[in-house]
Amino acid sequence: MKNHFRRAAFLFLLVALLGCNQRTDKDKGNVILTIESFDGLPVRVSVNATDLVQVEEINLSNIPKDPNGTVSSLMDIELRSFEVTYTRADRGTRKPPARVRGFFGNVPVGGDDTINNLDVLGIDQLRAAPLSDLLFENGGFDKETGDQSIQLNVSLRFFGRTLAGDTIASNTATFGIEFVP
């Protein structure tokens, strides 16, 4: 009897997980916020030469879930915040703290918004381990790996709500940056 219950519970959980679309099932509303493109991505950054890392241009789109349905200005998205998280793309395991910032903007339904010079790393990330290891005064190498560079995957996501009050989260866009002394 226990075996049948476990199998039934497992199958139910499996169907529930596989049947959900991560982006559209969590969000309410009739629109999808999408990070369409980037321009001016930093590829290599010297931690000794900067206190801020920015992406020159990010294009966001507000796409109706039903392209043949009725749209209204209540489906416009008010941006509220963004989150940047980091994972190692090299053999290291230490990573900077996440960057979460309040943000305002508006992406009209069926339209786009361009964000210029968004800061994806600030002093809190650049002066924290492991990036702080690359500072000249700290030796200029990753104390975990012994390497003179750190490869990070940078993942960016925006959060907001429609004018009707439905919460919205964008897709996650990820790109890589090499950090050197």
Side-chain angles (χ1 to χ4, degrees):
M1 185 69 159
K2 284 184 180 180
N3 241 357
H4 290 297
F5 177 75
R6 285 184 186 157
R7 282 186 191 155
F10 175 75
L11 288 175
F12 176 78
L13 182 61
L14 185 63
V15 168
L17 289 174
L18 293 177
C20 292
N21 180 312
Q22 181 184 4
R23 287 180 57 201
T24 58
D25 287 349
K26 285 184 181 177
D27 293 339
K28 299 176 184 176
N30 293 316
V31 293
I32 299 171
L33 179 61
T34 301
I35 300 173
E36 288 288 334
S37 63
F38 291 92
D39 193 21
L41 292 175
V43 177
R44 178 181 261 190
V45 173
S46 168
V47 297
N48 287 287
T50 189
D51 290 332
L52 187 67
V53 177
Q54 296 180 324
V55 175
E56 287 180 20
E57 184 177 283
I58 300 169
N59 294 308
L60 300 175
S61 292
N62 179 347
I63 303 167
K65 287 182 183 177
D66 180 2
N68 298 320
T70 304
V71 298
S72 80
S73 62
L74 292 175
M75 298 164 78
D76 290 358
I77 298 172
E78 293 177 328
L79 298 174
R80 296 291 179 108
S81 63
F82 69 93
E83 173 187 60
V84 187
T85 57
Y86 315 95
T87 56
R88 293 291 290 260
D90 55 18
R91 56 193 175 99
T93 58
R94 297 181 308 154
K95 56 189 179 184
R99 184 169 184 79
V100 178
R101 295 286 186 261
F103 190 81
F104 62 91
N106 187 292
V107 188
V109 64
D112 301 317
D113 187 31
T114 300
I115 299 168
N116 294 307
N117 301 316
L118 183 74
D119 53 316
V120 294
L121 283 105
I123 198 79
D124 293 343
Q125 290 74 36
L126 291 165
R127 297 302 179 254
L131 298 178
S132 62
D133 290 352
L134 298 178
L135 293 169
F136 292 134
E137 65 256 21
N138 293 337
F141 67 95
D142 182 357
K143 299 205 179 1
E144 179 184 19
T145 65
D147 294 337
Q148 290 187 326
S149 71
I150 294 174
Q151 303 282 333
L152 287 182
N153 291 319
V154 178
S155 297
L156 172 64
R157 193 168 185 202
F158 288 89
F159 300 92
R161 70 178 188 187
T162 64
L163 295 182
D166 297 321
T167 59
I168 302 292
S170 77
N171 59 318
T172 301
T174 302
F175 54 92
I177 301 176
E178 178 185 21
F179 292 88
V180 296

